[in-house]
Coordinates of all heavy atoms in Angstrom, one line a residue:
M29 N 18.0 2.3 -8.2 CA 16.6 2.4 -7.8 C 15.7 2.9 -8.9 O 16.2 3.6 -9.9 CB 16.5 3.6 -6.7 CG 17.3 3.4 -5.4 SD 16.6 2.1 -4.3 CE 15.3 2.9 -3.5
K30 N 14.5 2.4 -8.9 CA 13.6 2.8 -9.9 C 12.2 3.0 -9.4 O 11.7 2.4 -8.4 CB 13.4 1.6 -10.9 CG 12.4 1.8 -12.0 CD 12.3 0.7 -12.9 CE 11.2 1.0 -14.0 NZ 10.8 -0.1 -14.7
K31 N 11.6 4.2 -9.9 CA 10.3 4.7 -9.3 C 9.3 3.6 -9.9 O 9.3 3.4 -11.1 CB 9.9 6.0 -9.8 CG 8.6 6.5 -9.4 CD 8.3 7.9 -9.8 CE 8.4 8.2 -11.2 NZ 8.0 9.5 -11.6
I32 N 8.5 3.0 -9.0 CA 7.4 2.1 -9.5 C 6.0 2.5 -9.2 O 5.1 1.9 -9.7 CB 7.7 0.7 -9.0 CG1 7.5 0.7 -7.4 CG2 9.0 0.1 -9.5 CD1 7.4 -0.7 -6.9
F33 N 5.8 3.5 -8.3 CA 4.4 3.9 -8.0 C 4.5 5.4 -7.5 O 5.4 5.8 -6.8 CB 3.9 3.1 -6.9 CG 2.6 3.3 -6.6 CD1 1.4 3.2 -7.4 CD2 2.2 3.7 -5.1 CE1 0.2 3.5 -7.0 CE2 0.8 4.0 -4.8 CZ -0.2 3.9 -5.7
T34 N 3.5 6.1 -8.0 CA 3.3 7.5 -7.5 C 1.7 7.8 -7.5 O 1.0 7.2 -8.2 CB 4.0 8.5 -8.4 OG1 3.9 9.8 -7.8 CG2 3.5 8.5 -9.8
D35 N 1.4 8.6 -6.5 CA -0.1 8.9 -6.4 C -0.2 10.2 -5.6 O 0.8 10.4 -4.8 CB -0.8 7.7 -5.7 CG -2.3 8.0 -5.7 OD1 -2.9 8.6 -4.9 OD2 -2.9 7.4 -6.7
P36 N -1.1 11.0 -5.8 CA -1.3 12.3 -4.9 C -1.6 11.9 -3.5 O -1.3 12.8 -2.6 CB -2.4 13.0 -5.6 CG -3.1 12.1 -6.5 CD -2.2 11.0 -6.8
N37 N -2.1 10.7 -3.2 CA -2.4 10.3 -1.8 C -1.2 9.7 -1.2 O -0.9 8.5 -1.5 CB -3.6 9.4 -2.0 CG -4.1 9.0 -0.5 OD1 -3.4 9.1 0.4 ND2 -5.5 8.6 -0.5
L38 N -0.6 10.3 -0.2 CA 0.6 9.8 0.5 C 0.2 8.5 1.2 O 1.1 7.6 1.3 CB 1.1 10.8 1.5 CG 2.1 10.4 2.5 CD1 3.4 10.0 1.6 CD2 2.6 11.5 3.4
S39 N -1.0 8.3 1.8 CA -1.3 7.1 2.4 C -1.3 5.9 1.5 O -0.8 4.8 1.9 CB -2.8 7.2 3.0 OG -2.8 8.2 4.0
L40 N -1.7 6.0 0.3 CA -1.6 4.9 -0.6 C -0.1 4.5 -0.9 O 0.2 3.3 -1.0 CB -2.3 5.2 -2.0 CG -3.9 5.3 -1.9 CD1 -4.4 5.8 -3.2 CD2 -4.5 4.1 -1.4
V41 N 0.7 5.5 -1.1 CA 2.1 5.3 -1.5 C 2.8 4.7 -0.4 O 3.6 3.7 -0.4 CB 2.8 6.6 -2.0 CG1 4.2 6.3 -2.4 CG2 2.0 7.2 -3.2
A42 N 2.5 5.2 0.9 CA 3.1 4.7 2.1 C 2.7 3.2 2.4 O 3.5 2.4 2.8 CB 2.9 5.6 3.3
N43 N 1.4 2.9 2.1 CA 0.9 1.6 2.3 C 1.6 0.7 1.4 O 2.1 -0.4 1.8 CB -0.6 1.5 2.1 CG -1.1 0.1 2.4 OD1 -0.8 -0.5 3.5 ND2 -1.9 -0.4 1.5
A44 N 1.8 1.0 0.2 CA 2.5 0.2 -0.8 C 3.9 -0.1 -0.4 O 4.4 -1.1 -0.4 CB 2.5 0.8 -2.2
A45 N 4.5 1.0 0.1 CA 5.9 0.9 0.6 C 6.0 -0.1 1.8 O 7.0 -0.9 1.9 CB 6.5 2.3 1.1
N46 N 5.1 -0.1 2.7 CA 5.0 -0.9 3.8 C 4.8 -2.4 3.4 O 5.4 -3.3 4.0 CB 3.9 -0.5 4.8 CG 4.3 0.7 5.5 OD1 5.4 1.0 5.7 ND2 3.3 1.4 6.0
V47 N 4.0 -2.6 2.4 CA 3.7 -4.0 1.9 C 5.0 -4.6 1.3 O 5.4 -5.7 1.6 CB 2.6 -3.9 0.8 CG1 2.5 -5.4 0.1 CG2 1.2 -3.7 1.5
L48 N 5.7 -3.7 0.6 CA 6.9 -4.2 -0.1 C 8.0 -4.4 1.0 O 8.8 -5.4 0.9 CB 7.4 -3.2 -1.1 CG 6.5 -3.0 -2.3 CD1 7.1 -2.1 -3.3 CD2 6.1 -4.3 -2.9
A49 N 8.1 -3.5 1.9 CA 9.1 -3.7 3.0 C 8.8 -4.9 3.8 O 9.7 -5.6 4.2 CB 9.1 -2.4 4.0
A50 N 7.6 -5.2 4.1 CA 7.2 -6.4 4.8 C 7.6 -7.7 4.1 O 7.9 -8.8 4.6 CB 5.7 -6.5 5.1
A51 N 7.7 -7.6 2.7 CA 8.0 -8.7 1.9 C 9.7 -8.8 1.8 O 10.2 -9.6 1.1 CB 7.5 -8.6 0.5
G52 N 10.3 -7.9 2.4 CA 11.8 -7.8 2.5 C 12.4 -7.1 1.3 O 13.6 -7.2 1.1
L53 N 11.6 -6.3 0.6 CA 12.2 -5.5 -0.4 C 12.7 -4.2 0.0 O 12.1 -3.6 0.9 CB 11.2 -5.3 -1.6 CG 10.7 -6.6 -2.2 CD1 9.6 -6.3 -3.2 CD2 11.8 -7.4 -2.8
T54 N 13.8 -3.7 -0.5 CA 14.4 -2.4 -0.1 C 13.5 -1.3 -0.8 O 13.4 -1.3 -2.1 CB 15.8 -2.3 -0.5 OG1 16.5 -3.3 0.2 CG2 16.3 -0.9 -0.2
T55 N 12.9 -0.4 -0.1 CA 12.1 0.7 -0.7 C 12.6 2.1 -0.3 O 13.3 2.2 0.8 CB 10.6 0.5 -0.2 OG1 10.6 0.7 1.2 CG2 10.1 -0.8 -0.7
E56 N 12.2 3.1 -1.0 CA 12.4 4.4 -0.6 C 11.3 5.3 -1.0 O 10.7 5.2 -2.1 CB 13.7 4.9 -1.4 CG 14.2 6.3 -0.9 CD 15.5 6.7 -1.5 OE1 16.4 5.9 -1.6 OE2 15.5 7.8 -2.2
L57 N 10.8 6.0 0.0 CA 9.5 6.9 -0.1 C 10.2 8.3 -0.5 O 10.8 8.8 0.5 CB 8.7 6.9 1.0 CG 7.3 7.6 0.9 CD1 6.5 7.1 -0.2 CD2 6.6 7.4 2.3
R58 N 9.9 8.8 -1.6 CA 10.4 10.2 -1.9 C 9.2 11.1 -2.0 O 8.1 10.8 -2.3 CB 11.2 10.1 -3.2 CG 12.4 9.3 -3.1 CD 13.2 9.4 -4.4 NE 14.4 8.5 -4.4 CZ 15.2 8.3 -5.4 NH1 15.0 8.9 -6.5 NH2 16.2 7.4 -5.3
N59 N 9.5 12.4 -1.8 CA 8.5 13.5 -2.0 C 7.3 13.3 -1.0 O 6.2 13.8 -1.2 CB 7.9 13.5 -3.3 CG 8.9 14.0 -4.4 OD1 10.0 14.5 -4.1 ND2 8.5 13.8 -5.6
A60 N 7.6 12.7 0.2 CA 6.5 12.5 1.1 C 5.9 13.9 1.6 O 4.8 13.9 2.0 CB 7.0 11.7 2.3
Y61 N 6.7 14.9 1.7 CA 6.3 16.1 2.2 C 6.6 17.3 1.2 O 6.7 18.4 1.6 CB 7.0 16.4 3.5 CG 6.7 15.3 4.6 CD1 7.7 14.4 4.8 CD2 5.3 15.2 5.1 CE1 7.4 13.3 5.8 CE2 5.2 14.1 6.0 CZ 6.2 13.2 6.2 OH 5.8 12.1 7.1
A62 N 6.6 17.0 0.0 CA 6.9 17.9 -1.1 C 5.7 18.7 -1.4 O 5.8 19.7 -2.3 CB 7.5 17.3 -2.3
G63 N 4.5 18.4 -1.0 CA 3.4 19.1 -1.4 C 3.4 20.7 -1.2 O 2.8 21.4 -1.9
G64 N 4.2 21.1 -0.2 CA 4.4 22.5 0.0 C 4.9 23.2 -1.1 O 4.8 24.5 -1.2
A65 N 5.6 22.6 -1.9 CA 6.3 23.2 -3.2 C 5.4 23.4 -4.3 O 5.7 23.9 -5.3 CB 7.5 22.4 -3.5
S66 N 4.1 22.7 -4.2 CA 3.2 22.8 -5.4 C 2.8 24.3 -5.6 O 2.7 25.1 -4.7 CB 2.0 22.0 -5.1 OG 1.2 22.6 -3.9
G67 N 2.7 24.6 -6.8 CA 2.4 26.0 -7.2 C 3.7 26.5 -7.9 O 3.7 27.1 -8.9
G68 N 4.9 26.2 -7.4 CA 6.1 26.5 -7.9 C 6.6 25.5 -8.9 O 7.5 25.7 -9.7
L69 N 6.1 24.2 -8.8 CA 6.4 23.1 -9.5 C 5.1 22.5 -10.1 O 4.0 22.8 -9.6 CB 7.1 22.1 -8.6 CG 8.4 22.4 -8.0 CD1 8.9 21.3 -7.1 CD2 9.5 22.7 -9.0
A70 N 5.3 21.7 -11.1 CA 4.1 21.0 -11.7 C 3.6 20.1 -10.6 O 4.3 19.5 -9.8 CB 4.6 20.2 -12.9
F71 N 2.3 19.9 -10.5 CA 1.6 19.3 -9.4 C 2.1 17.8 -9.4 O 2.2 17.2 -8.3 CB 0.1 19.3 -9.5 CG -0.5 18.6 -10.7 CD1 -1.0 17.3 -10.6 CD2 -0.7 19.2 -11.9 CE1 -1.6 16.7 -11.6 CE2 -1.3 18.6 -13.0 CZ -1.6 17.3 -12.8
T72 N 2.3 17.2 -10.5 CA 2.8 15.8 -10.5 C 4.3 15.6 -10.0 O 4.7 14.6 -9.6 CB 2.7 15.1 -11.9 OG1 3.4 15.9 -12.9 CG2 1.3 15.0 -12.3
D73 N 5.0 16.8 -10.0 CA 6.4 16.6 -9.5 C 6.5 16.6 -8.1 O 7.6 16.4 -7.5 CB 7.2 17.9 -10.0 CG 7.5 17.9 -11.5 OD1 7.4 16.8 -12.1 OD2 7.8 19.0 -12.0
V74 N 5.4 16.9 -7.3 CA 5.4 16.8 -5.9 C 4.7 15.7 -5.2 O 4.5 15.5 -4.1 CB 5.0 18.2 -5.2 CG1 5.9 19.3 -5.6 CG2 3.5 18.5 -5.7
W75 N 4.2 14.8 -6.1 CA 3.4 13.6 -5.7 C 4.4 12.6 -4.9 O 5.6 12.5 -5.3 CB 2.8 12.9 -6.8 CG 1.5 13.5 -7.4 CD1 1.0 14.6 -7.0 CD2 0.7 12.9 -8.4 NE1 -0.1 14.9 -7.8 CE2 -0.3 13.8 -8.6 CE3 0.7 11.7 -9.1 CZ2 -1.4 13.6 -9.5 CZ3 -0.3 11.6 -10.1 CH2 -1.3 12.4 -10.2
P76 N 4.0 12.0 -3.9 CA 4.8 11.0 -3.2 C 5.2 9.9 -4.2 O 4.4 9.5 -5.0 CB 3.9 10.5 -2.1 CG 2.9 11.5 -1.9 CD 2.7 12.2 -3.3
E77 N 6.4 9.4 -4.2 CA 6.9 8.4 -5.0 C 7.4 7.2 -4.3 O 8.1 7.4 -3.2 CB 8.0 8.9 -6.0 CG 7.5 10.1 -6.8 CD 8.8 10.8 -7.5 OE1 9.9 10.5 -7.1 OE2 8.4 11.5 -8.5
L78 N 7.2 6.1 -4.8 CA 7.8 4.8 -4.2 C 8.9 4.3 -5.2 O 8.6 4.0 -6.4 CB 6.6 3.7 -4.1 CG 7.1 2.4 -3.5 CD1 8.0 2.5 -2.2 CD2 5.9 1.5 -3.4
W79 N 10.1 4.1 -4.6 CA 11.2 3.6 -5.4 C 11.7 2.3 -4.7 O 11.6 2.2 -3.6 CB 12.4 4.7 -5.3 CG 12.1 5.9 -6.1 CD1 11.2 6.9 -5.8 CD2 12.7 6.4 -7.3 NE1 11.2 7.9 -6.7 CE2 12.1 7.7 -7.6 CE3 13.7 5.8 -8.1 CZ2 12.6 8.4 -8.8 CZ3 14.1 6.6 -9.2 CH2 13.5 7.8 -9.5
V80 N 12.1 1.4 -5.6 CA 12.7 0.2 -5.1 C 14.1 -0.1 -5.8 O 14.3 0.5 -6.8 CB 11.7 -1.0 -5.4 CG1 10.4 -0.9 -4.6 CG2 11.6 -1.2 -6.9
A81 N 14.8 -1.0 -5.1 CA 16.1 -1.3 -5.7 C 15.9 -2.0 -7.1 O 14.9 -2.6 -7.3 CB 16.8 -2.4 -4.8
T82 N 16.7 -1.7 -8.0 CA 16.7 -2.1 -9.4 C 16.5 -3.7 -9.6 O 15.7 -4.1 -10.4 CB 17.9 -1.7 -10.3 OG1 18.0 -0.2 -10.0 CG2 17.7 -2.0 -11.7
D83 N 17.2 -4.4 -8.7 CA 17.1 -5.8 -8.8 C 15.8 -6.4 -8.2 O 15.5 -7.6 -8.3 CB 18.2 -6.5 -8.1 CG 18.4 -6.1 -6.7 OD1 17.8 -5.1 -6.2 OD2 19.2 -6.8 -5.9
S84 N 14.9 -5.5 -7.5 CA 13.7 -5.9 -6.9 C 12.5 -5.5 -7.7 O 11.3 -5.7 -7.2 CB 13.6 -5.4 -5.5 OG 14.6 -5.9 -4.7
V85 N 12.7 -4.9 -8.8 CA 11.5 -4.2 -9.6 C 10.5 -5.3 -9.9 O 9.3 -4.9 -9.7 CB 12.1 -3.4 -10.8 CG1 10.9 -3.1 -11.7 CG2 12.8 -2.3 -10.4
A86 N 10.8 -6.4 -10.5 CA 9.9 -7.4 -11.0 C 9.1 -7.9 -9.8 O 7.9 -8.0 -9.9 CB 10.5 -8.5 -11.6
A87 N 9.7 -8.2 -8.6 CA 9.0 -8.7 -7.5 C 8.1 -7.6 -6.9 O 6.9 -7.9 -6.5 CB 10.0 -9.2 -6.4
A88 N 8.6 -6.4 -6.9 CA 7.7 -5.3 -6.4 C 6.5 -5.1 -7.2 O 5.4 -4.9 -6.7 CB 8.6 -4.0 -6.3
E89 N 6.7 -5.1 -8.5 CA 5.5 -4.9 -9.4 C 4.5 -6.0 -9.2 O 3.3 -5.8 -9.3 CB 6.0 -4.7 -10.8 CG 6.7 -3.3 -11.1 CD 7.3 -3.2 -12.5 OE1 7.5 -4.2 -13.2 OE2 7.6 -2.1 -12.9
A90 N 5.0 -7.2 -9.0 CA 4.1 -8.4 -8.9 C 3.3 -8.2 -7.6 O 2.1 -8.4 -7.6 CB 4.9 -9.7 -9.0
L91 N 4.0 -7.8 -6.5 CA 3.2 -7.6 -5.3 C 2.2 -6.5 -5.4 O 1.1 -6.6 -4.9 CB 4.3 -7.3 -4.2 CG 5.0 -8.5 -3.7 CD1 6.2 -8.1 -2.7 CD2 4.1 -9.5 -2.9
L92 N 2.6 -5.3 -6.0 CA 1.7 -4.3 -6.2 C 0.5 -4.6 -7.0 O -0.6 -4.2 -6.8 CB 2.3 -3.0 -6.7 CG 3.4 -2.4 -5.6 CD1 3.9 -1.2 -6.3 CD2 2.7 -2.1 -4.3
A93 N 0.7 -5.5 -8.1 CA -0.3 -5.9 -9.0 C -1.3 -6.7 -8.2 O -2.6 -6.6 -8.3 CB 0.1 -6.6 -10.2
D94 N -0.8 -7.7 -7.3 CA -1.6 -8.5 -6.5 C -2.4 -7.6 -5.5 O -3.6 -7.9 -5.2 CB -0.8 -9.5 -5.8 CG -1.7 -10.4 -4.9 OD1 -2.6 -11.0 -5.5 OD2 -1.5 -10.6 -3.8
L95 N -1.8 -6.6 -4.9 CA -2.4 -5.8 -4.0 C -3.6 -4.9 -4.6 O -4.6 -4.7 -3.9 CB -1.4 -4.8 -3.5 CG -1.9 -3.8 -2.3 CD1 -2.3 -4.6 -1.0 CD2 -0.8 -2.8 -2.0
S96 N -3.5 -4.6 -6.0 CA -4.5 -3.8 -6.6 C -5.7 -4.6 -7.1 O -6.6 -4.0 -7.6 CB -3.9 -3.0 -7.7 OG -3.4 -3.9 -8.7
K97 N -5.6 -5.9 -7.1 CA -6.7 -6.8 -7.5 C -7.9 -6.6 -6.6 O -7.7 -6.5 -5.4 CB -6.3 -8.2 -7.6 CG -5.3 -8.6 -8.7 CD -5.0 -10.1 -8.5 CE -4.0 -10.5 -9.5 NZ -3.6 -11.8 -9.3
D98 N -9.1 -6.6 -7.2 CA -10.3 -6.6 -6.4 C -10.4 -8.0 -5.7 O -10.2 -9.0 -6.4 CB -11.5 -6.3 -7.2 CG -11.7 -4.9 -7.4 OD1 -11.1 -4.1 -6.7 OD2 -12.5 -4.5 -8.5
D99 N -10.8 -8.0 -4.5 CA -10.9 -9.3 -3.8 C -12.2 -9.3 -2.9 O -12.3 -8.6 -1.9 CB -9.7 -9.4 -2.7 CG -9.7 -10.8 -2.1 OD1 -10.7 -11.5 -2.3 OD2 -8.7 -11.0 -1.3
D100 N -13.2 -9.9 -3.5 CA -14.4 -9.9 -2.8 C -14.9 -11.1 -1.9 O -15.9 -11.4 -1.5 CB -15.6 -9.7 -3.9 CG -15.6 -8.4 -4.5 OD1 -15.1 -7.4 -3.9 OD2 -16.0 -8.3 -5.7
R101 N -13.7 -12.0 -1.7 CA -13.9 -13.1 -0.8 C -14.1 -12.6 0.6 O -13.5 -11.7 1.0 CB -12.7 -14.0 -0.9 CG -12.5 -14.6 -2.4 CD -11.2 -15.4 -2.4 NE -10.1 -14.3 -2.3 CZ -8.9 -14.7 -2.0 NH1 -8.6 -15.9 -1.6 NH2 -7.9 -13.7 -2.0
E102 N -14.9 -13.5 1.3 CA -15.0 -13.2 2.7 C -13.8 -13.7 3.5 O -13.3 -14.8 3.1 CB -16.2 -13.8 3.4 CG -17.4 -13.1 3.0 CD -18.6 -13.7 3.8 OE1 -18.6 -14.8 4.4 OE2 -19.8 -13.0 3.8
W103 N -13.4 -13.0 4.5 CA -12.4 -13.5 5.4 C -12.9 -13.3 6.8 O -13.5 -12.3 7.1 CB -11.0 -12.9 5.2 CG -10.0 -13.2 6.2 CD1 -9.2 -14.2 6.2 CD2 -9.7 -12.4 7.3 NE1 -8.4 -14.3 7.2 CE2 -8.6 -13.1 8.0 CE3 -10.1 -11.2 7.9 CZ2 -8.0 -12.7 9.2 CZ3 -9.6 -10.8 9.1 CH2 -8.5 -11.5 9.7
Q104 N -12.7 -14.2 7.8 CA -13.0 -14.0 9.2 C -11.9 -14.1 10.0 O -11.0 -15.0 10.0 CB -14.0 -15.2 9.5 CG -14.7 -14.9 10.9 CD -15.7 -16.0 11.2 OE1 -15.7 -17.1 10.8 NE2 -16.8 -15.6 12.0
C105 N -11.8 -13.1 10.9 CA -10.7 -13.0 11.9 C -10.9 -14.2 12.8 O -11.9 -14.4 13.4 CB -10.9 -11.6 12.7 SG -9.6 -11.6 14.0
P106 N -9.8 -14.9 12.9 CA -9.8 -16.1 13.9 C -10.0 -15.8 15.3 O -10.4 -16.7 16.1 CB -8.5 -16.8 13.6 CG -7.5 -15.9 13.1 CD -8.5 -14.8 12.4
R107 N -9.7 -14.6 15.7 CA -9.8 -14.2 17.2 C -11.2 -13.6 17.5 O -11.8 -14.0 18.4 CB -8.7 -13.3 17.6 CG -7.3 -14.1 17.7 CD -6.2 -13.3 18.1 NE -6.4 -12.0 18.7 CZ -5.7 -11.3 19.3 NH1 -4.4 -11.5 19.4 NH2 -6.0 -10.1 19.9
C108 N -11.5 -12.5 16.7 CA -12.8 -11.8 17.0 C -14.0 -12.3 16.3 O -15.1 -11.9 16.5 CB -12.6 -10.3 16.9 SG -12.4 -9.8 15.2
K109 N -13.7 -13.1 15.2 CA -14.8 -13.6 14.3 C -15.5 -12.7 13.5 O -16.5 -13.0 12.9 CB -15.8 -14.5 15.1 CG -15.2 -15.5 16.1 CD -14.4 -16.5 15.3 CE -13.9 -17.5 16.3 NZ -12.8 -18.2 15.9
E110 N -15.0 -11.4 13.4 CA -15.5 -10.4 12.5 C -15.3 -10.8 11.1 O -14.3 -11.3 10.6 CB -15.0 -9.1 12.8 CG -15.6 -8.0 11.8 CD -15.1 -6.7 12.1 OE1 -14.2 -6.5 12.9 OE2 -15.6 -5.7 11.4
L111 N -16.4 -10.6 10.2 CA -16.2 -10.9 8.8 C -15.8 -9.6 8.0 O -16.3 -8.5 8.3 CB -17.6 -11.4 8.2 CG -18.0 -12.7 8.5 CD1 -19.3 -13.0 7.9 CD2 -17.0 -13.9 8.0
A112 N -14.8 -9.8 7.2 CA -14.4 -8.7 6.3 C -14.7 -9.2 4.9 O -14.4 -10.4 4.6 CB -12.9 -8.4 6.6
V113 N -15.2 -8.3 4.1 CA -15.6 -8.8 2.7 C -14.6 -8.2 1.6 O -13.9 -8.8 1.0 CB -17.1 -8.5 2.3 CG1 -17.4 -8.9 1.0 CG2 -18.0 -9.2 3.3
R114 N -14.7 -6.8 1.6 CA -14.0 -6.2 0.5 C -12.5 -6.1 0.8 O -12.0 -5.6 1.9 CB -14.5 -4.8 0.2 CG -13.9 -4.1 -1.0 CD -15.0 -3.8 -1.9 NE -14.5 -3.0 -3.0 CZ -14.3 -3.6 -4.3 NH1 -14.6 -4.9 -4.4 NH2 -13.9 -2.8 -5.2
F115 N -11.6 -6.5 -0.1 CA -10.1 -6.5 0.1 C -9.7 -7.3 1.4 O -8.9 -6.9 2.1 CB -9.6 -5.1 0.2 CG -10.0 -4.2 -0.9 CD1 -10.9 -3.2 -0.9 CD2 -9.4 -4.5 -2.2 CE1 -11.2 -2.4 -2.0 CE2 -9.7 -3.7 -3.3 CZ -10.7 -2.7 -3.2
A116 N -10.5 -8.3 1.6 CA -10.3 -9.1 2.9 C -8.8 -9.6 3.1 O -8.3 -9.5 4.1 CB -11.1 -10.4 2.8
A117 N -8.1 -10.1 1.9 CA -6.8 -10.4 2.2 C -5.8 -9.4 2.7 O -4.9 -9.6 3.4 CB -6.3 -11.0 0.9
K118 N -6.1 -8.2 2.3 CA -5.3 -7.1 2.6 C -5.6 -6.6 4.1 O -4.8 -6.1 4.8 CB -5.5 -5.9 1.7 CG -4.8 -6.1 0.3 CD -5.4 -7.1 -0.5 CE -4.9 -7.2 -1.8 NZ -5.5 -8.2 -2.6
L119 N -6.9 -6.7 4.5 CA -7.4 -6.3 5.8 C -6.9 -7.1 6.9 O -6.7 -6.7 8.0 CB -8.8 -6.2 5.9 CG -9.4 -5.0 5.1 CD1 -11.0 -5.1 5.1 CD2 -9.0 -3.7 5.6
R120 N -6.8 -8.4 6.7 CA -6.5 -9.4 7.7 C -5.2 -9.1 8.5 O -5.1 -9.3 9.7 CB -6.5 -10.8 7.2 CG -5.2 -11.3 6.6 CD -5.2 -12.8 6.3 NE -4.4 -13.0 5.2 CZ -4.8 -13.6 4.2 NH1 -6.0 -14.1 4.1 NH2 -4.0 -13.8 3.2
A121 N -4.3 -8.4 7.9 CA -3.0 -8.0 8.7 C -3.3 -6.9 9.6 O -2.5 -6.7 10.5 CB -1.9 -7.7 7.7
F122 N -4.4 -6.3 9.5 CA -4.7 -5.0 10.3 C -5.7 -5.3 11.4 O -5.9 -4.4 12.2 CB -5.1 -3.9 9.4 CG -4.1 -3.5 8.4 CD1 -4.3 -3.8 7.1 CD2 -2.9 -2.9 8.8 CE1 -3.3 -3.6 6.1 CE2 -2.0 -2.5 7.9 CZ -2.2 -2.9 6.6
C123 N -6.3 -6.4 11.5 CA -7.3 -6.7 12.6 C -6.5 -7.0 13.8 O -5.6 -7.9 13.9 CB -8.1 -7.8 12.2 SG -9.4 -8.2 13.4
D124 N -6.9 -6.4 14.9 CA -6.2 -6.7 16.2 C -6.9 -7.8 17.1 O -6.6 -8.0 18.2 CB -6.0 -5.4 17.0 CG -7.4 -4.8 17.5 OD1 -8.4 -5.4 17.3 OD2 -7.3 -3.8 18.2
G125 N -7.9 -8.3 16.5 CA -8.6 -9.4 17.2 C -9.8 -9.0 18.0 O -10.5 -9.8 18.5
S126 N -9.9 -7.7 18.0 CA -11.0 -7.1 18.9 C -12.3 -6.6 18.1 O -13.2 -6.2 18.5 CB -10.6 -6.0 19.8 OG -10.3 -4.9 19.0
G127 N -12.1 -6.8 16.7 CA -13.2 -6.3 15.9 C -12.8 -4.9 15.3 O -13.5 -4.4 14.5
E128 N -11.7 -4.4 15.9 CA -11.3 -3.1 15.4 C -10.1 -3.3 14.5 O -9.2 -4.0 14.7 CB -10.9 -2.2 16.6 CG -12.0 -1.9 17.5 CD -13.1 -1.0 16.8 OE1 -12.7 -0.1 16.1 OE2 -14.2 -1.3 17.0
Y129 N -10.0 -2.4 13.4 CA -8.9 -2.5 12.5 C -7.9 -1.5 12.9 O -8.2 -0.3 13.2 CB -9.4 -2.3 11.1 CG -10.1 -3.5 10.5 CD1 -11.4 -3.5 10.6 CD2 -9.3 -4.6 10.2 CE1 -12.1 -4.6 10.1 CE2 -9.9 -5.7 9.8 CZ -11.3 -5.7 9.6 OH -12.0 -6.8 9.3
L130 N -6.6 -1.8 13.0 CA -5.5 -1.0 13.4 C -5.5 0.1 12.5 O -5.7 0.0 11.2 CB -4.2 -1.7 13.5 CG -4.3 -2.9 14.5 CD1 -3.0 -3.7 14.5 CD2 -4.6 -2.5 15.9
G131 N -5.2 1.4 12.8 CA -4.9 2.5 11.9 C -6.2 3.3 11.8 O -6.3 4.3 11.1
K132 N -7.4 2.8 12.4 CA -8.7 3.5 12.3 C -8.5 4.8 13.2 O -8.0 4.8 14.2 CB -9.7 2.7 12.8 CG -10.6 2.2 11.7 CD -11.8 1.4 12.3 CE -12.8 1.2 11.3 NZ -14.0 0.5 11.8

């Protein structure tokens, strides 16, 4: 296993883990709830971490690089016809077709 991503925001790390898992990569989320230990440890030691299998590192890094690109193209939900502009390619998986984005 190799650590490929860390951030103080658990939501970002968990989202990256979900993207990689959806692509069929083996992931492990570490330090998800280690924030309670801050103060006794360096703050970066308790940040959530995303680890992947060693043989999947290149694929995982490529997927995360694509995820972090700015995407200003418009995308329209085929069911509800709502337009999404910023990060449209990433949002399309979360539209439930009613104009509402899942996870809101």
Side-chain angles (χ1 to χ4, degrees):
M29 299 290 281
K30 180 179 178 188
K31 179 174 63 173
I32 64 163
F33 183 62
T34 185
D35 192 271
N37 185 336
L38 175 59
S39 296
L40 292 177
V41 181
N43 185 48
N46 289 335
V47 167
L48 298 182
L53 302 178
T54 301
T55 64
E56 186 174 313
L57 185 59
R58 297 183 184 175
N59 292 345
Y61 304 104
S66 62
L69 299 171
F71 68 94
T72 55
D73 289 343
V74 297
W75 283 6
E77 300 172 344
L78 176 57
W79 291 69
V80 297
T82 307
D83 61 344
S84 301
V85 171
E89 288 175 342
L91 283 168
L92 292 182
D94 183 54
L95 185 67
S96 66
K97 288 180 186 173
D98 282 340
D99 186 356
D100 291 333
R101 294 173 292 160
E102 280 190 351
W103 173 82
Q104 187 173 33
C105 176
R107 287 183 16 174
C108 70
K109 308 301 182 204
E110 181 179 5
L111 285 176
V113 179
R114 189 121 174 101
F115 304 108
K118 284 71 174 179
L119 290 174
R120 80 170 151 238
F122 300 107
C123 182
D124 69 0
S126 67
E128 295 295 319
Y129 287 98
L130 305 179
K132 256 189 170 177

